[in-house]
Amino acid sequence: MKSINLGKSFAAAGIAACIAVSGTALAAPASAAAVTPKNVIYLIGDGMGYNHLDLMNAEDKGETYWQVEHGGDNKVIPSGQNVTPTGWQAWDHLAMSTHSANGTAYDPAASWADFAWNMDGATDSAAAGTAMASGVKTDNGMLGQNPDGVDLENLSQRAELLGLSAGVVSSVPYSHATPAAFSAHNENRNNYHAIANEQIYGDLEVVFGAAHPYYDQNGEPRADGNFQYISEEDWTAVSTGQTDRTFIESDADFAALATGDTPESVFGAAQVADTLQQGRDEGRPVNDVVDLDTMTKGALNVLDNNENGFFLMVEGGAIDWAGHANQTDRDLEEVHDFNNTVDSVINWVETNSSWDETLVIVTADHETGYLYGEQAGDFSSIVPSDVADASAAHTWNSGNHTNQLVPFFYKGAGSDALAAAATGMDPVRNHYLDNTSVAEWLLNDAWVVPEETEAPVETEAPVETEAPVETEAPVETEAPAETEAPVETDNETTLPVDGTKAPAANDSTNGQNGTSTEAGDDKLAQTGAEQFVPVVALASALLLAGAGLAWKTRRQAAE
């Protein structure tokens, strides 16, 4: 990995040199310099709608922030029971639409007029993750490709290209849809083996998740391996040191990574099957396994080794799994774990970075379970209970995804650009952006790779010539003998007897049609290009060296 990181450093230095000579050899768009977050941390609560948050708020604080109710004209409006949000839910807030390329585009009027409308045409996590990672919508089931099957560049790849580091962390399998959308490309989200292979041999410095083949849903060892999410060959390679990644699996491994020295590249599989907690047997206490919070701390400790910055996607993936199962208790567990993770990220920013250089986004890829208040099949409010230990009244109205807007909270570098991207207007949630908006802005504006242009051509200075040699005055000769005048013929004139012609009217012998350069004080004129040639050469060399080192090391690892 040292070779890869050295290559990345060369590449970053090359890009920096390119930017330094922008306007000559390499130039970045002027808008790219306006807002350029050094670090971007994208926290995604899979399936986490407004009401998933408010169920937690009602249980923990006895208050809600995001509830709705019917107004006097029966239109849905924000509920009068809501109070001012606190914590990260008090950050700048927008809503976000989530539909896929082959789904039903969000319609504000239809969404709030008909409760059933939101149940049809919803995105899946693969299409939603692809849109959030690449800025391009695709069909449900596809990962990192457009509907025609063409691979799309994602935010992790752009970070690596710019010399930054990148990673993905999830509470569900590392090769599942959302982490895969930021680290792989495949026509089918269920091709887990191919996805895991791309993650292991790809460029990301961090890949963490559940799906340890030799542990069950309760975090207990199993004799026979379950290779649903990774091939046995790739598992053997990554877990026995046959790749260039450090492998970690125990709770102690993750805890040590969060506080101590860190390797350069890590693959971590928590000692549990599908999910950290949600999939355990009913009635069992929580699994004795690492939580999302600790995994995220470890990822941050690895990624911040890169002084250029990083991109990190963190997924609270099992919120979605609990929503599909309509499990209130497990849903609350998962939202709490995600909430704790957000708080740890905030602490990292304020301790190790700053809001001037780091952007943090907290959102969802879609809503799952159609969670609402006590009145089933209606936009009713979740009302906190006045009875001790009693749950707030609520209903699950679906076992699938819905097409509602989801919450979008953000803080830090680039916030103004995100606010400007919210061009949609919803009658209840107000301004909203699309799930492609963040990646579109980063890829097309904030994290732009400088485009190479031709360097000015160095021209040779004009060659100084010797002054003409003075010759003797011509010797006067006798006047020529008088000759007969030319004989006039039909439309022709006989040439003089000496056979010469008069000069043509447009002949030029004095160089007036050429280009000349004057030089004062007998010094030759200079073009100004010479001073940039060494910088351009250095930038090109650094870029080529970085790419070569990374390619060579990856090839050796793959062999």
Side-chain angles (χ1 to χ4, degrees), residues 134-157:
S134 71
V136 178
K137 287 188 180 293
T138 194
D139 292 343
N140 287 342
M142 301 186 73
L143 275 172
Q145 296 182 341
N146 68 15
D148 295 326
V150 178
D151 285 0
L152 300 167
E153 181 185 21
N154 60 50
L155 292 173
S156 300
Q157 290 175 298

Short mmCIF file of all heavy atoms in Angstrom, two decimals, residues 134-157:
data_model
loop_
_atom_site.label_atom_id
_atom_site.label_comp_id
_atom_site.label_asym_id
_atom_site.label_seq_id
_atom_site.Cartn_x
_atom_site.Cartn_y
_atom_site.Cartn_z
N SER A 134 -23.28 9.06 -7.97
CA SER A 134 -22.80 9.46 -9.30
C SER A 134 -23.50 10.67 -9.88
O SER A 134 -23.03 11.25 -10.86
CB SER A 134 -22.97 8.29 -10.27
OG SER A 134 -24.35 8.08 -10.56
N GLY A 135 -24.66 11.05 -9.32
CA GLY A 135 -25.41 12.16 -9.89
C GLY A 135 -26.23 11.78 -11.11
O GLY A 135 -26.74 12.65 -11.81
N VAL A 136 -26.38 10.47 -11.36
CA VAL A 136 -27.14 10.00 -12.52
C VAL A 136 -28.16 8.97 -12.05
O VAL A 136 -27.82 8.03 -11.32
CB VAL A 136 -26.20 9.34 -13.56
CG1 VAL A 136 -27.02 8.80 -14.74
CG2 VAL A 136 -25.16 10.35 -14.04
N LYS A 137 -29.39 9.13 -12.48
CA LYS A 137 -30.43 8.16 -12.11
C LYS A 137 -30.30 6.91 -12.97
O LYS A 137 -29.95 6.97 -14.14
CB LYS A 137 -31.82 8.78 -12.30
CG LYS A 137 -32.15 9.82 -11.23
CD LYS A 137 -33.61 10.26 -11.34
CE LYS A 137 -33.94 11.30 -10.28
NZ LYS A 137 -33.90 10.76 -8.90
N THR A 138 -30.60 5.77 -12.36
CA THR A 138 -30.58 4.50 -13.08
C THR A 138 -31.81 3.70 -12.71
O THR A 138 -32.63 4.12 -11.89
CB THR A 138 -29.29 3.72 -12.80
OG1 THR A 138 -29.15 2.67 -13.76
CG2 THR A 138 -29.29 3.14 -11.40
N ASP A 139 -31.94 2.53 -13.32
CA ASP A 139 -33.09 1.67 -13.04
C ASP A 139 -32.90 0.91 -11.74
O ASP A 139 -31.76 0.64 -11.32
CB ASP A 139 -33.29 0.67 -14.19
CG ASP A 139 -33.72 1.34 -15.49
OD1 ASP A 139 -34.17 2.51 -15.45
OD2 ASP A 139 -33.60 0.70 -16.54
N ASN A 140 -34.00 0.54 -11.13
CA ASN A 140 -33.94 -0.27 -9.92
C ASN A 140 -33.14 -1.55 -10.17
O ASN A 140 -33.28 -2.18 -11.23
CB ASN A 140 -35.34 -0.62 -9.43
CG ASN A 140 -36.06 0.57 -8.82
OD1 ASN A 140 -35.44 1.56 -8.46
ND2 ASN A 140 -37.37 0.47 -8.69
N GLY A 141 -32.31 -1.91 -9.22
CA GLY A 141 -31.52 -3.13 -9.33
C GLY A 141 -30.13 -2.94 -9.89
O GLY A 141 -29.29 -3.82 -9.75
N MET A 142 -29.86 -1.78 -10.51
CA MET A 142 -28.55 -1.54 -11.12
C MET A 142 -27.65 -0.76 -10.17
O MET A 142 -28.11 0.12 -9.43
CB MET A 142 -28.71 -0.80 -12.45
CG MET A 142 -29.55 -1.53 -13.47
SD MET A 142 -29.58 -0.72 -15.09
CE MET A 142 -27.93 -1.09 -15.70
N LEU A 143 -26.36 -1.06 -10.23
CA LEU A 143 -25.39 -0.44 -9.34
C LEU A 143 -24.27 0.24 -10.12
O LEU A 143 -23.56 -0.42 -10.89
CB LEU A 143 -24.75 -1.49 -8.43
CG LEU A 143 -25.48 -1.86 -7.14
CD1 LEU A 143 -24.79 -3.06 -6.51
CD2 LEU A 143 -25.49 -0.68 -6.18
N GLY A 144 -24.13 1.55 -9.96
CA GLY A 144 -23.00 2.24 -10.56
C GLY A 144 -23.00 2.25 -12.06
O GLY A 144 -21.96 2.49 -12.68
N GLN A 145 -24.14 1.98 -12.67
CA GLN A 145 -24.27 2.01 -14.13
C GLN A 145 -25.53 2.78 -14.49
O GLN A 145 -26.50 2.82 -13.73
CB GLN A 145 -24.36 0.60 -14.71
CG GLN A 145 -23.13 -0.25 -14.51
CD GLN A 145 -23.26 -1.62 -15.17
OE1 GLN A 145 -24.35 -2.08 -15.46
NE2 GLN A 145 -22.13 -2.27 -15.38
N ASN A 146 -25.53 3.39 -15.68
CA ASN A 146 -26.75 4.03 -16.15
C ASN A 146 -27.69 2.96 -16.73
O ASN A 146 -27.31 1.78 -16.81
CB ASN A 146 -26.43 5.14 -17.16
CG ASN A 146 -25.88 4.62 -18.48
OD1 ASN A 146 -25.96 3.42 -18.80
ND2 ASN A 146 -25.31 5.51 -19.27
N PRO A 147 -28.90 3.32 -17.11
CA PRO A 147 -29.83 2.30 -17.60
C PRO A 147 -29.33 1.51 -18.80
O PRO A 147 -29.81 0.40 -19.07
CB PRO A 147 -31.08 3.12 -17.95
CG PRO A 147 -31.04 4.28 -17.02
CD PRO A 147 -29.58 4.63 -16.93
N ASP A 148 -28.35 2.06 -19.55
CA ASP A 148 -27.79 1.35 -20.70
C ASP A 148 -26.62 0.44 -20.33
O ASP A 148 -26.01 -0.18 -21.20
CB ASP A 148 -27.32 2.37 -21.75
CG ASP A 148 -28.46 3.16 -22.34
OD1 ASP A 148 -29.57 2.59 -22.49
OD2 ASP A 148 -28.27 4.35 -22.64
N GLY A 149 -26.30 0.36 -19.04
CA GLY A 149 -25.23 -0.52 -18.60
C GLY A 149 -23.84 0.07 -18.67
O GLY A 149 -22.85 -0.66 -18.58
N VAL A 150 -23.74 1.38 -18.82
CA VAL A 150 -22.44 2.04 -18.88
C VAL A 150 -22.01 2.44 -17.47
O VAL A 150 -22.79 3.04 -16.73
CB VAL A 150 -22.49 3.29 -19.78
CG1 VAL A 150 -21.14 4.00 -19.79
CG2 VAL A 150 -22.92 2.90 -21.20
N ASP A 151 -20.78 2.09 -17.09
CA ASP A 151 -20.27 2.43 -15.76
C ASP A 151 -20.25 3.93 -15.54
O ASP A 151 -19.91 4.71 -16.45
CB ASP A 151 -18.86 1.88 -15.56
CG ASP A 151 -18.84 0.38 -15.34
OD1 ASP A 151 -19.91 -0.24 -15.33
OD2 ASP A 151 -17.73 -0.18 -15.17
N LEU A 152 -20.59 4.34 -14.32
CA LEU A 152 -20.61 5.74 -13.94
C LEU A 152 -19.52 6.02 -12.92
O LEU A 152 -19.25 5.20 -12.03
CB LEU A 152 -21.96 6.11 -13.33
CG LEU A 152 -23.19 5.92 -14.22
CD1 LEU A 152 -24.47 6.02 -13.39
CD2 LEU A 152 -23.20 6.97 -15.34
N GLU A 153 -18.90 7.17 -13.01
CA GLU A 153 -17.92 7.57 -11.99
C GLU A 153 -18.66 7.94 -10.71
O GLU A 153 -19.65 8.67 -10.74
CB GLU A 153 -17.10 8.76 -12.48
CG GLU A 153 -16.03 9.20 -11.47
CD GLU A 153 -15.31 10.47 -11.90
OE1 GLU A 153 -15.87 11.22 -12.73
OE2 GLU A 153 -14.19 10.71 -11.39
N ASN A 154 -18.18 7.44 -9.58
CA ASN A 154 -18.81 7.78 -8.31
C ASN A 154 -17.91 8.70 -7.49
O ASN A 154 -16.77 8.99 -7.86
CB ASN A 154 -19.18 6.52 -7.53
CG ASN A 154 -18.00 5.64 -7.20
OD1 ASN A 154 -16.98 6.11 -6.69
ND2 ASN A 154 -18.10 4.34 -7.50
N LEU A 155 -18.43 9.18 -6.37
CA LEU A 155 -17.70 10.15 -5.55
C LEU A 155 -16.43 9.56 -4.96
O LEU A 155 -15.43 10.28 -4.79
CB LEU A 155 -18.61 10.67 -4.44
CG LEU A 155 -19.78 11.54 -4.91
CD1 LEU A 155 -20.71 11.86 -3.74
CD2 LEU A 155 -19.27 12.83 -5.54
N SER A 156 -16.43 8.28 -4.64
CA SER A 156 -15.21 7.65 -4.13
C SER A 156 -14.11 7.67 -5.20
O SER A 156 -12.94 7.96 -4.90
CB SER A 156 -15.50 6.21 -3.70
OG SER A 156 -16.48 6.16 -2.69
N GLN A 157 -14.48 7.36 -6.43
CA GLN A 157 -13.50 7.36 -7.51
C GLN A 157 -12.95 8.76 -7.76
O GLN A 157 -11.75 8.93 -7.98
CB GLN A 157 -14.14 6.82 -8.79
CG GLN A 157 -14.44 5.34 -8.76
CD GLN A 157 -15.18 4.89 -10.00
OE1 GLN A 157 -16.30 5.33 -10.28
NE2 GLN A 157 -14.56 4.01 -10.77
#
